Amino acid sequence: MTGIRRPWLHRSMLALMALACLLLLAQFWFFAQVVWYQYKTPARTPIMQEQLDSLREKRPDAELQYRWVDYDRISASLKRAVIAAEDANFMQHGGIEWEAIRKAWDYNRQQREDGSARVRGGSTITQQLAKNLFLSGTRSYLRKAQEMILAYMIEHVMDKERILELYLNVAEWGNGIFGAEAAARHYFGTSAAQLSSAQAARLAAMLPNPRYYDQHRNTRYLNGRTATLQQRMRMVDIP
């Protein structure tokens, strides 16, 4: 029996070593991409491509609304509003907020037990940037693990200003709408630099479900959340 088992053990070890090498190579590739985006602007992200493909199934000539703008051409009000809405400790953490993840896990478990469809995310802005730049919108533990690894890479390579600049430019803000400039023009007919405090707060309030709020722009929740964010924005530090 021992002689029969050894070839299987040997092949299993080789398979595990090959898998480990592939995973390591994948992380080197991701790290190289993080370094690339420290200096270069993204032309299109995987999530942008997913949505473009979906839009073109119904309308072959569909195009995304996406225009890059530099950090200093984005309203300080929008920067404050997004941090207040998505990641209050953005300036302090190293990429992941473990306490926020635990609270989101407990909240979502309770919501499932109550039969509610509402869910709460525990991702930081850095994690969301990792997902938007490199991953898909699908939900899985494997994707979440890769998102966390990428978040640490991003925080190691980039400063907070670059992270926020990238996030504000690739975040989804509606059906085929990506980035602060496209969002400002789509919803308010202005530029990202000229957004008012109220406009910035409304855009930030839309981030958890932008495609829905693109179609439902005057819900009670959205109006209330906008007002709350306008109050919180005043206490937010930005890079």
Side-chain angles (χ1 to χ4, degrees):
M1 292 295 292
T2 303
I4 294 174
R5 288 177 180 172
R6 284 179 179 173
W8 282 100
L9 179 61
H10 181 65
R11 284 194 290 270
S12 297
M13 290 296 294
L14 288 176
L16 287 172
M17 290 174 63
L19 179 60
C21 287
L22 287 173
L23 290 173
L24 189 60
L25 285 172
Q27 300 316 310
F28 277 123
W29 182 87
F30 277 126
F31 186 76
Q33 293 293 300
V34 170
V35 173
W36 172 263
Y37 285 129
Q38 162 68 2
Y39 305 102
K40 301 295 183 179
T41 61
R44 186 173 294 170
T45 68
I47 289 179
M48 288 182 192
Q49 189 61 52
E50 280 182 7
Q51 189 167 154
L52 181 60
D53 292 342
S54 177
L55 291 172
R56 285 181 173 174
E57 288 178 2
K58 300 177 181 178
R59 188 160 55 88
D61 62 343
E63 294 292 340
L64 300 178
Q65 296 180 50
Y66 168 60
R67 185 188 303 179
W68 175 275
V69 286
D70 293 335
Y71 187 80
D72 58 3
R73 292 174 57 201
I74 301 174
S75 163
S77 291
L78 183 62
K79 297 167 189 173
R80 295 182 191 281
V82 167
I83 292 175
E86 298 290 289
D87 189 359
N89 294 321
F90 174 66
M91 296 297 294
Q92 286 76 47
H93 65 66
I96 296 174
E97 279 265 73
W98 291 106
E99 182 63 18
I101 291 174
R102 184 191 66 77
K103 288 181 179 178
W105 178 278
D106 291 342
Y107 174 86
N108 294 339
R109 182 178 59 185
Q110 185 62 51
Q111 292 298 102
R112 287 193 298 270
E113 291 174 357
D114 294 342
S116 172
R118 287 188 177 183
V119 294
R120 178 183 296 171
S123 296
T124 63
I125 284 175
T126 311
Q127 287 176 261
Q128 293 178 58
L129 176 61
K131 180 190 72 175
N132 291 343
L133 271 182
F134 302 107
L135 307 173
S136 70
T138 58
R139 295 176 180 271
S140 71
Y141 289 116
L142 183 61
R143 197 224 70 187
K144 194 68 177 179
Q146 184 62 70
E147 176 188 296
M148 291 180 175
I149 294 170
L150 281 164
Y152 281 124
M153 291 182 185
I154 290 169
E155 289 277 349
H156 178 75
V157 171
M158 303 178 190
D159 61 21
K160 294 289 186 178
E161 180 177 311
R162 180 59 174 172
I163 293 170
L164 187 58
E165 179 183 45
L166 282 164
Y167 177 75
L168 290 172
N169 272 287
V170 301
E172 182 181 351
W173 253 298
N175 292 293
I177 302 159
F178 289 86
E181 185 69 15
R185 294 185 182 279
H186 178 74
Y187 293 107
F188 304 113
T190 188
S191 68
Q194 298 299 318
L195 286 167
S196 69
S197 173
Q199 291 168 341
R202 183 162 291 270
L203 286 181
M206 295 172 66
L207 281 170
N209 199 355
R211 298 182 200 179
Y212 175 81
Y213 292 122
D214 191 5
Q215 304 298 320
H216 305 83
R217 302 186 187 185
N218 198 35
T219 68
R220 179 183 295 181
Y221 171 82
L222 189 59
N223 292 335
R225 180 67 169 160
T226 298
T228 299
L229 289 177
Q230 278 191 273
Q231 297 297 319
R232 292 182 181 176
M233 288 164 57
R234 304 168 187 173
M235 300 177 285
V236 170
D237 293 326
I238 60 175

